[in-house]
Amino acid sequence: MPHFRPLMLLANRLSSIQSILSFERWEGYHHFEDEKGIGRVAILSTFLGMNLGANAVLFLLFKLVQLGLIIIPPTETTSSSTTIQSLLHCFLSIESNTLQLALQWTVYSIFLCLFHLGEYFSTCIYNPSVTTSDSFMINQSKAYTAAALYTYLHVVACDLQQLYKGGIVQCSLFSTS
C-alpha cells in the first residue's frame, strides 16, 4: 500500500480544492449558500473577467515585444529605479523561447476564461430556469481540476526551466550583485 500513498494525498488535495470551488464553507452567508446565490455568480464572473482582462493585456504586451514594436534598451539599474520599472524590464527582455511560452499561456488562459463565461451565458440565454453558479462549469469534476492543475504546473515548470537556462536576460530582480 505504500505505493498508493502519494495518490491518496493527491486525491485529498483535489477534494479540498473541489470543496473550495463548490463554496462548501460559506454557511451563514445568504448569497453564497445556494447554487443560485448571486454572490457565487458575482465572485466567479469577477474572477473570470479579471483573469481574461489581465491575460489579454499580457498577450498584447508580449505580442508587441515579439513583433519588435516595443524595445527596451539595456539600462543600468540605479537606486532610483522602481520595482515596476524593473519588472517591466524583466518581462520585455525575455528570450524568444520564454516569450513563446508566455504567449501560449496567455492564449490558453484567454480561451479557458471565454469557455467558462460562454458556458454560463449560453445557459442564461437558452435555459435561464436552470442557471446557477455551476453553469460556469468551473467545478466540473476531480478529473477536470486535476487536468487544470497539471497544465498550470507544467507551464510554471517550463517557465522556471527557461529562467534557469538564462531565459531572462539581465533581469535586475534576480541578480545578486
Side-chain angles (χ1 to χ4, degrees):
M1 288 296 203
H3 298 293
F4 296 112
R5 185 163 176 83
L7 292 176
M8 293 302 293
L9 290 172
L10 179 62
N12 290 339
R13 292 293 177 201
L14 285 175
S15 295
S16 175
I17 291 170
Q18 290 293 110
S19 74
I20 291 169
L21 291 174
S22 62
F23 293 90
E24 288 180 1
R25 299 177 187 147
W26 287 79
E27 294 91 17
Y29 297 97
H30 173 67
H31 294 295
F32 295 94
E33 287 181 334
D34 187 20
E35 291 176 344
K36 293 188 179 223
I38 196 71
R40 289 183 181 198
V41 173
I43 284 181
L44 293 173
S45 59
T46 299
F47 171 74
L48 288 170
M50 289 174 58
N51 195 3
L52 177 64
N55 279 289
V57 168
L58 283 174
F59 174 78
L60 182 63
L61 179 68
F62 292 146
K63 197 62 178 172
L64 290 173
V65 169
Q66 187 182 44
L67 295 172
L69 297 174
I70 295 179
I71 300 172
I72 298 247
T75 59
E76 293 294 322
T77 304
T78 63
S79 59
S80 64
S81 67
T82 65
T83 304
I84 293 175
Q85 288 171 333
S86 299
L87 275 172
L88 187 63
H89 185 63
C90 287
F91 280 127
L92 299 179
S93 312
I94 56 180
E95 288 183 358
S96 63
N97 289 344
T98 306
L99 184 62
Q100 188 62 34
L101 282 172
L103 280 168
Q104 288 173 357
W105 175 255
T106 57
V107 168
Y108 169 76
S109 295
I110 288 169
F111 280 110
L112 190 63
C113 289
L114 288 173
F115 164 74
H116 289 295
L117 288 169
E119 283 290 329
Y120 182 78
F121 290 129
S122 64
T123 304
C124 283
I125 291 169
Y126 295 109
N127 201 356
S129 63
V130 298
T131 302
T132 65
S133 61
D134 289 339
S135 300
F136 282 108
M137 301 284 292
I138 289 179
N139 190 17
Q140 293 180 24
S141 65
K142 281 186 184 181
Y144 180 81
T145 304
L149 288 174
Y150 175 77
T151 59
Y152 303 150
L153 293 174
H154 177 73
V155 169
V156 167
C158 287
D159 285 345
L160 287 176
Q161 182 183 14
Q162 288 295 323
L163 173 69
Y164 288 121
K165 283 185 175 180
I168 293 183
V169 180
Q170 298 176 349
C171 181
S172 61
L173 290 177
F174 300 107
S175 66
T176 57
S177 56

